[in-house]
Amino acid sequence: CAAVMFTGKANCPYYAKAELLADYLQTNLPDFRVHKVTQHPDKWEQWLHDICETNGWKHRECPIIWRELLDRGGKGQLLGGLNDFLEYAQRYYGVASMMLIEEMLNIAEENLQARLEMIKEDEEIKSLIKPVQIWITSASVPICYHLIPLLANGEVFGMTTEISIHLLDSDQFKEILRSIVMEAEDMAFPLLRSISEHTEIDQAFIDADIIIVLDDVLLNLEVQSLENYIREVSEICQVYAPLIEKNAKSEVKVISSGKTFANLKATMLRTYGPAIRPENIIAIATSWESAAKAMLARKLNMNTAGIKDVIVWGNITGSNYIDLSHAKLDGYDSAIRGPPNFQRPLLNMIYDSEWLHSEFLSAQSTLSSRVSRCTGMLPAHAVATVLQYWYHGSPEIISVGILSEGQFCIPEGITCSMPVRFQNGNWEVVTELEINETTQKILGRLSHELIQ
């Protein structure tokens, strides 16, 4: 039993004649099978070159016809073009084609129209499926490895939203990127439409809906000055920002994360990419919030999820301040009972004021060390959490590094972490919070450092 494979240009009359003869043979011979692949005229030459190169054939005309032996395996046996197939049909089956040239042309025209309609239908179907395009820079770092499953499991964007992930890094990390791609593909996430690696910077951020900037510089002030590290960050953003303006979608969301200079990266991307919507560039402070909540939960012997509205002010990966003056406890087990949504001020529930004013405040350096040592799960969870809030709204206050417009007397034009609330795909600063005198003095100092 043999299958005869036919491929040709949709508008080729010789392909039409071979096709009609093959249909006749398949209808009248029990062991004859035919498989046809019609190519668009614009793609025919490239397709013919590729199939011949793969199989070691020499053939330059339309159509190309070969036999595939179903019971033997291996590559097919080239029959040739139209004349070769006519001879094959006459010799093996005693069948000849008497089709006139006018019939050949009519069928060729029908084939072309059918092919164009199929292409149009495929494009319409594809247009209905628009996966969220996510680009991750410095994608060889461990954060990315932990981030991909969080983005692809459906909890961030919804269980009906497909995503495509693009991993960007330099050519020296190409093998790492390839390994990540292969492992992600093997996990077979239903909502992960595609994942790919990229090392050509000119092609970065094409059609991006979301860009996650993970680039870090490894600080060692004994080797070079802080000014040189800042210059290095600026140069990275000077490359990224114009590409984002050129290649990404107009409403692209840009998230600055990583261990170093999160605020600065957001500022520099705005500086070198003025066409990017400034409110769509944010820096992530959620890792600090999570670490502080965990420390408080251990002290209060309660679930971390019950601690709300811890605020991180200032420079996220530099000098920051963890503010508990607005923090609340939800579901705290104590002598005072209330309805399920009953919340109590956190500071009223911590009776050990010495711990609060000495150990917790001094522990911010400990928290800094813990957060900076986290290479994977915590920062990945922070990015995923903020994206989930950005798309679906936040149930509580969350700290985000944003462009200041003078809120809380913070100078305009700097990226400063402050409390926001996400709603309807946007965020707004929670300006109704009252800031005490101590916090206001700290904000003044932090703002000065950011300006410097």
Side-chain angles (χ1 to χ4, degrees):
C1 180
V4 180
M5 311 295 292
F6 286 77
T7 300
K9 292 186 289 185
N11 61 346
C12 174
Y14 303 110
Y15 173 63
K17 185 170 184 176
E19 178 188 27
L20 198 64
L21 177 57
D23 289 343
Y24 175 84
L25 293 175
Q26 180 170 249
T27 302
N28 292 278
L29 299 174
D31 293 332
F32 188 91
R33 298 289 181 268
V34 61
H35 181 70
K36 295 174 287 186
V37 180
T38 307
Q39 297 291 339
H40 190 283
D42 295 342
K43 297 183 178 181
W44 164 250
E45 293 295 338
Q46 184 62 49
W47 190 94
L48 180 62
H49 173 270
D50 293 343
I51 193 70
C52 288
E53 188 173 270
T54 300
N55 291 279
W57 296 334
K58 292 183 179 179
H59 188 85
R60 293 292 177 265
E61 61 190 50
C62 176
I64 181 172
I65 305 167
W66 70 93
R67 296 174 69 228
E68 289 191 348
L69 303 180
L70 303 182
D71 58 348
R72 298 185 188 178
K75 71 177 184 179
Q77 178 185 359
L78 180 65
L79 295 180
L82 173 63
N83 291 333
D84 300 296
F85 180 61
L86 294 177
E87 183 179 344
Y88 170 81
Q90 178 70 46
R91 180 186 303 169
Y92 282 91
Y93 305 110
V95 177
S97 173
M98 305 302 293
M99 181 184 290
L100 300 175
I101 187 64
E102 186 176 350
E103 293 178 275
M104 293 165 56
L105 293 173
N106 288 339
I107 294 175
E109 179 63 26
E110 291 175 3
N111 282 342
L112 179 59
Q113 292 304 317
R115 184 61 185 165
L116 293 175
E117 288 177 8
M118 287 178 60
I119 293 173
K120 182 180 179 182
E121 184 178 341
D122 288 343
E123 290 176 349
E124 288 176 353
I125 293 173
K126 289 178 181 178
S127 70
L128 298 175
I129 304 173
K130 296 180 179 179
V132 177
Q133 303 290 332
I134 304 169
W135 283 77
I136 304 175
T137 71
S138 288
S140 64
V141 299
I143 299 174
C144 180
Y145 187 83
H146 292 274
L147 180 59
I148 290 170
L150 298 177
L151 297 176
N153 67 13
E155 293 183 6
V156 173
F157 303 104
M159 299 306 296
T160 59
T161 302
E162 293 188 345
I163 66 171
S164 290
I165 297 177
H166 307 267
L167 309 179
L168 177 67
D169 214 321
S170 59
D171 194 61
Q172 70 183 100
F173 298 109
K174 190 171 185 177
E175 288 304 316
I176 296 177
L177 297 185
R178 190 166 294 164
S179 299
I180 296 174
V181 167
M182 291 173 61
E183 190 167 353
E185 289 175 340
D186 290 344
M187 293 180 76
F189 291 105
L191 297 175
L192 182 58
R193 168 59 67 88
S194 64
I195 181 168
S196 56
E197 76 266 14
H198 303 267
T199 55
E200 298 294 332
I201 190 65
D202 292 343
Q203 303 301 314
F205 314 128
I206 291 176
D207 291 331
D209 294 294
I210 296 167
I211 298 171
I212 301 168
V213 180
L214 299 181
D215 298 75
D216 274 324
V217 294
L218 301 177
L219 288 176
N220 187 347
L221 297 180
E222 295 179 0
V223 175
Q224 62 176 337
S225 67
L226 185 64
E227 288 75 13
N228 286 336
Y229 285 118
I230 290 174
R231 187 177 296 110
E232 189 176 334
V233 173
S234 179
E235 290 171 354
I236 293 171
C237 296
Q238 203 167 356
V239 173
Y240 285 167
L243 289 170
I244 295 173
E245 289 182 313
K246 176 185 175 183
N247 295 337
K249 293 177 182 173
S250 59
E251 297 296 312
V252 63
K253 294 175 170 61
V254 183
I255 289 179
S256 172
S257 184
K259 297 181 184 179
T260 57
F261 299 112
N263 294 49
L264 181 64
K265 286 183 286 190
T267 299
M268 292 294 96
L269 288 171
R270 290 192 194 94
T271 301
Y272 296 119
I276 308 169
R277 290 183 62 184
E279 63 270 27
N280 279 6
I281 304 176
I282 65 173
I284 298 291
T286 316
S287 294
W288 283 89
E289 283 186 8
S290 299
K293 288 177 180 179
M295 187 175 181
L296 292 165
R298 288 192 292 270
K299 177 64 176 178
L300 293 165
N301 192 27
M302 67 175 293
N303 193 317
T304 308
I307 301 176
K308 311 289 185 182
D309 300 346
V310 173
I311 301 172
V312 179
W313 298 94
N315 188 0
I316 296 163
T317 50
S319 298
N320 60 50
Y321 170 60
I322 299 175
D323 181 7
L324 304 181
S325 61
H326 302 280
K328 301 177 183 64
L329 300 182
D330 189 1
Y332 182 59
D333 187 14
S334 68
I336 302 175
R337 299 287 179 176
N341 60 348
F342 179 59
Q343 294 182 331
R344 276 156 285 191
L346 180 142
L347 294 179
N348 291 352
M349 296 294 106
I350 297 182
Y351 301 106
D352 189 350
S353 58
E354 184 178 346
W355 177 88
L356 191 63
H357 292 100
S358 60
E359 189 172 337
F360 180 79
L361 291 178
S362 64
Q364 291 207 33
S365 60
T366 305
L367 285 177
S368 176
S369 177
R370 288 172 66 96
V371 172
S372 63
R373 286 203 307 268
C374 292
T375 59
M377 287 189 290
L378 180 59
H381 177 265
V383 172
T385 299
V386 170
L387 276 173
Q388 184 178 19
Y389 288 165
W390 209 339
Y391 275 78
H392 301 291
S394 56
E396 58 184 285
I397 292 173
I398 183 170
S399 305
V400 172
I402 60 169
L403 182 66
S404 171
E405 296 180 350
Q407 304 96 331
F408 307 110
C409 298
I410 298 171
E412 295 184 24
I414 62 174
T415 299
C416 183
S417 180
M418 63 182 77
V420 306
R421 186 176 284 111
F422 287 93
Q423 191 172 8
N424 300 323
N426 299 302
W427 54 260
E428 58 180 17
V429 180
V430 187
T431 53
E432 65 269 20
L433 291 179
E434 293 184 6
I435 305 301
N436 59 38
E437 187 177 345
T438 301
T439 302
Q440 198 65 64
K441 287 181 180 178
I442 294 173
L443 287 181
R445 174 174 57 80
L446 297 178
S447 299
H448 177 73
E449 289 187 14
L450 280 169
I451 292 170
Q452 294 301 107

